[in-house]
């Protein structure tokens, strides 16, 4: 509807501006006439032109003072047609939204599961090498977290694609000849630091290779943002507005501090497009009640927080928290 109203106002404004321009021309002409002919003739011409301008102004607003009765009926008809088109368009949009809300994608291996995400993070937080953070458990949990990001809508596609790249880089190290050095986050940091593989001066590029410690540090910061957001969803904070939850979670995480201005604005726009909590939960398409989902997400958030603290302690101990 906003589109049609904006278009109608634009047309009416253009017409009225034309009327004002005509009035200005009349005023200019008046000055010329007063200089070049008698006052009586000048005022006569000015009065005639003023009447024409006034009638034009009333006509541009579609008011009841137009001189042609057919024009009045024509204007009324055009307004009715306009409002009818608006109502029809709104009905089509409402129908499309309803149909989209009622549809959930068929379950498959790439479908997000809140229960599975909670289990994977619990396994990572309670694994044999929990405080060293087992890499395989960590990446498996991130796989499910990526599906959660994808379920948040296309606005977060640029975030999930970046995460996918980083998970891929770390998984490649786990499948390389140096796989034994990447069994845990602790082993990775120690190995890369002792081998002088960490570049403290330059960010990865075509000439500078991206190593594990730097790559995982970016995931580490993103994990904080997501664990805060998932916790807020579970507890139904910020008056149930997921957009506010996302905004507050982002700025409470280390991500905002390290992002340039343009990325911060992009994230702000992305979270602004998130729906309210009931619609968001429905969008997740989970086979559980709202209460069960909230409980599962709360446990997941707590496990994610434990993993974040373990990882942060390792990066702090080995002084690699500020890799560019």
């Amino acid at each position: 509807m906003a589109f049609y109203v904006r278009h109608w106002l634009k047309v009416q404004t253009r017409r009225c501006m034309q009327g004002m321009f005509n009035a200005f021309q009349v005023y200019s002409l008046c000055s010329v006439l007063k200089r070049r002919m008698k006052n009586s003739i000048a005022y006569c011409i000015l009065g005639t032109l003023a009447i024409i301008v006034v009638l034009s102004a009333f006509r541009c607003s579609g008011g009841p003072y137009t001189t042609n009765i057919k024009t009045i009926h024509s204007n009324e008809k055009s307004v009715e047609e306009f409002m009818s088109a608006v109502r029809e368009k709104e009905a089509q949009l409402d129908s499309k939204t309803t149909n989209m809300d009622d549809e959930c994608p068929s379950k498959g291996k790439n479908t997000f599961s809140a229960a599975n995400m909670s289990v994977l993070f619990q396994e990572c937080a309670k694994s044999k090498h929990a405080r060293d953070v087992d890499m395989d458990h960590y990446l498996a949990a991130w796989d499910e977290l990526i599906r959660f990001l994808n379920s948040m809508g296309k606005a977060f596609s640029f975030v999930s694609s970046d995460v996918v790249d980083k998970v891929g880089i770390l998984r490649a190290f786990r499948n390389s000849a140096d796989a034994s050095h990447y069994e845990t986050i602790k082993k990775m940091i120690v190995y890369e630091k002792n081998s002088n593989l960490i570049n403290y001066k330059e960010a990865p590029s075509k000439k500078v290779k991206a190593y594990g410690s730097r790559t995982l540090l970016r995931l580490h910061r993103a994990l904080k943002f997501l664990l805060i957001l998932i916790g807020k969803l579970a507890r139904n904070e910020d008056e149930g507005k997921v957009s506010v939850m996302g905004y507050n979670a982002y700025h409470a995480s280390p991500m905002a501090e390290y992002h340039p201005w343009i990325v911060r604005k992009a994230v702000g726009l992305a979270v602004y497009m998130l729906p309210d909590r009931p619609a968001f939960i429905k969008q997740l398409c989970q086979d559980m009640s709202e209460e069960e989902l909230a409980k599962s997400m709360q446990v997941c958030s707590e496990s994610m927080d434990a993993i974040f603290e373990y990882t942060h302690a390792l990066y702090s101990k080995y002084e690699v928290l500020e890799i560019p």
Side-chain angles (χ1 to χ4, degrees):
M1 179 175 179
F3 169 79
Y4 293 106
V5 172
R6 189 165 59 249
H7 176 72
W8 183 78
L9 288 173
K10 185 178 180 180
V11 171
Q12 298 305 318
T13 303
R14 190 186 300 122
R15 289 179 179 174
C16 290
M17 288 298 292
Q18 184 62 43
M20 293 172 64
F21 179 71
N22 291 341
F24 176 75
Q25 288 181 318
V26 168
Y27 176 79
S28 301
L29 182 61
C30 171
S31 301
V32 173
L33 290 173
K34 287 181 71 176
R35 288 196 303 266
R36 298 193 177 185
M37 60 179 67
K38 294 181 179 179
N39 284 347
S40 58
I41 300 175
Y43 285 129
C44 180
I45 295 173
L46 176 62
T48 304
L49 291 173
I51 292 171
I52 294 172
V53 169
V54 169
L55 290 175
S56 298
F58 279 120
R59 192 171 181 181
C60 84
S61 64
Y65 300 103
T66 50
T67 54
N68 194 329
I69 301 298
K70 291 182 180 180
T71 304
I72 294 175
H73 292 307
S74 176
N75 287 342
E76 290 176 351
K77 186 177 180 181
S78 65
V79 171
E80 289 175 2
E81 290 175 350
F82 165 74
M83 293 308 297
S84 176
V86 169
R87 285 191 290 269
E88 184 180 346
K89 190 67 175 177
E90 285 180 331
Q92 290 175 359
L93 291 173
D94 290 341
S95 175
K96 186 180 290 187
T97 303
T98 303
N99 292 335
M100 288 175 65
D101 289 342
D102 293 338
E103 294 177 0
C104 275
S106 57
K107 300 295 180 181
K109 67 175 184 178
N110 291 323
T111 304
F112 168 66
S113 169
N116 191 41
M117 181 174 71
S118 181
V119 168
L120 288 168
F121 276 106
Q122 286 180 70
E123 289 177 350
C124 185
K126 298 175 182 179
S127 68
K128 183 180 178 180
H129 304 291
R131 292 190 177 275
D132 293 346
V133 190
D134 184 272
M135 185 69 78
D136 292 333
H137 280 98
Y138 185 83
L139 296 179
W142 261 107
D143 287 338
E144 198 62 49
L145 204 51
I146 288 167
R147 296 186 186 101
F148 171 72
L149 280 169
N150 290 335
S151 70
M152 293 174 73
K154 293 182 178 180
F156 275 82
S157 59
F158 75 97
V159 179
S160 61
S161 63
D162 185 52
V163 170
V164 168
D165 290 341
K166 287 175 172 50
V167 169
I169 291 170
L170 292 169
R171 193 158 273 137
F173 283 118
R174 279 296 291 140
N175 296 325
S176 69
D178 298 320
S180 60
H181 298 298
Y182 293 86
E183 288 179 352
T184 67
I185 292 178
K186 180 180 179 179
K187 282 187 176 182
M188 175 189 69
I189 295 173
V190 171
Y191 166 69
E192 292 189 349
K193 190 166 185 180
N194 291 340
S195 302
N196 294 318
L197 296 175
I198 299 174
N199 192 325
Y200 293 93
K201 296 181 179 179
E202 298 177 275
S205 63
K206 292 181 179 180
K207 296 181 180 180
V208 181
K209 185 175 180 179
Y211 277 93
S213 299
R214 192 263 182 196
T215 301
L216 195 138
L217 182 58
R218 271 57 187 172
L219 290 179
H220 175 65
R221 293 167 184 165
L223 186 69
K224 185 67 172 180
F225 159 58
L226 290 167
L227 77 86
I228 295 172
L229 174 60
I230 290 171
K232 285 178 174 291
L233 281 166
R235 296 183 294 272
N236 194 20
E237 297 180 3
D238 298 316
E239 301 179 348
K241 296 177 181 178
V242 183
S243 58
V244 179
M245 294 180 197
Y247 181 86
N248 291 337
Y250 174 71
H251 287 280
S253 75
M255 290 181 73
E257 180 184 349
Y258 292 94
H259 279 166
W261 179 86
I262 188 67
V263 175
R264 292 199 300 271
K265 293 301 176 184
V267 174
L269 179 61
V271 298
Y272 179 78
M273 296 171 68
L274 293 172
D276 57 14
R277 186 172 180 268
F280 183 77
I281 289 175
K282 191 174 182 180
Q283 182 178 309
L284 294 178
C285 293
Q286 299 300 295
D287 295 328
M288 58 177 73
S289 66
E290 186 174 328
E291 184 179 349
E292 290 172 333
L293 179 61
K295 189 179 295 184
S296 178
M297 296 186 90
Q298 179 61 35
V299 173
C300 181
S301 176
E302 291 169 359
S303 300
M304 292 167 72
D305 190 46
I307 295 164
F308 177 85
E309 292 301 329
Y310 295 154
T311 306
H312 201 81
L314 290 170
Y315 270 81
S316 179
K317 178 181 178 180
Y318 293 101
E319 299 179 340
V320 285
L321 276 170
E322 300 298 330
I323 304 174

